[in-house]
Amino acid sequence: MAINMKGKSLISINDLSHEEVWQIFEVSASLKQKRLTGEPHRILEGKTLGMIFSKPSTRTRVSFEVGIYELGGIGMYFGPNDLQLKKSESVADTAKVLSRFLSGIMIRTFDHQDVVDLARYGSIPVINGLTDLLHPCQVLTDLFTIYEKKRQLRGLKLAYVGDGNNMAHSLLNGCSKVGMDISIASPSGYKPNEQIVNDALANAKYMGSKVEIVDDPIQAVKNADVVYTDVWASMGQESEAAERKLKFQKYQVNPELVKNAKEDYLFMHCLPAHRGDEVVNEVADSPNSIIFDEAENRLHVQKAIMALLM
Ligand code: CP
Ligand code: NVA
């Protein structure tokens, strides 16, 4: 039976049940098919999505805006200088005001707590479009994409090589939620958040899967079904880029490293990629790479999320 998710916010994958995650995937597949065959699916006719961006974006911005339009609604973009938010108005007051106008809010910002507070003080669904801590829409899309390619999630192994950042955190949440093994290799000082690792360990115990945090990228990639990486310096960390580049050299995803993965491994990256740093062209453009299918699926999965929550 369908689970009613109407009115809920999506701030972390860990807030979703296993069943809710699969419901998102089912609706994503159905909306993807409808778009392909030109079948109308204006489920959100007359609805408005506010899209708050304190950081730049290509995929998130375009896929949410196209997505809400295709569902029959309208998206309103607010860039870093458009709202009074956190300049002359609190998050709480902004949440209360926007709730009087909009049907939902998608927000990309720095401080994760701002997203939590927006949902807490507002009365409409809030969708996390990336914070310094998490990127749940990306990882729901990633899992959906892996499922499309492999027709299974449980029992597969994902290796994440690189910074213990928002992507690593949401992958820990997401993989452990669906019973995929996850192994993360990061240099010391750049390991993922301990609380998130502990939550993932608890999920994994329940699902019978594994969570491993290691130093050695070869160990992480060994027999992996999916090899994932992300930029070494995230948005907001630009001033650390040179220092990080030195510290992360060993963590580049290149042909030598992926030899340790399964032969039919999938290469994934949330993008934007800094080619020549965390990944080289020989891997990013190889037949194993599914980075552009992954990017496209942002549209289908976020349409499903909006359709279910709004
Ligand atoms: N992967 C992703 O979120 O891309 P953008 O930063 O372009 O939105
Ligand atoms: N870790 C990256 C992800 C971009 C989609 C960042 O936060 O900049």
Side-chain angles (χ1 to χ4, degrees), residues 53 56-61 108 129-130 135 138 167 235 270-272 298:
F53 283 92
S57 167
T58 297
R59 281 143 289 270
T60 306
R61 196 236 157 130
R108 161 169 294 194
L130 179 148
H135 197 1
Q138 178 68 55
M167 281 308 310
M235 291 180 273
C270 55
L271 304 179
R298 291 292 299 279

Side-chain angles (χ1 to χ4, degrees), residues 96-115:
K96 288 174 191 168
V97 171
L98 291 181
S99 296
R100 303 282 179 116
F101 300 133
L102 300 167
S103 325
I105 300 173
M106 177 262 121
I107 177 165
R108 161 169 294 194
T109 195
F110 295 87
D111 189 351
H112 188 74
Q113 191 60 40
D114 287 348
V115 181

Side-chain angles (χ1 to χ4, degrees), residues 170-188:
S170 281
L171 284 166
L172 279 163
N173 284 336
C175 290
S176 63
K177 181 72 63 174
V178 299
M180 270 177 81
D181 294 344
I182 177 165
S183 184
I184 296 195
S186 322
S188 77

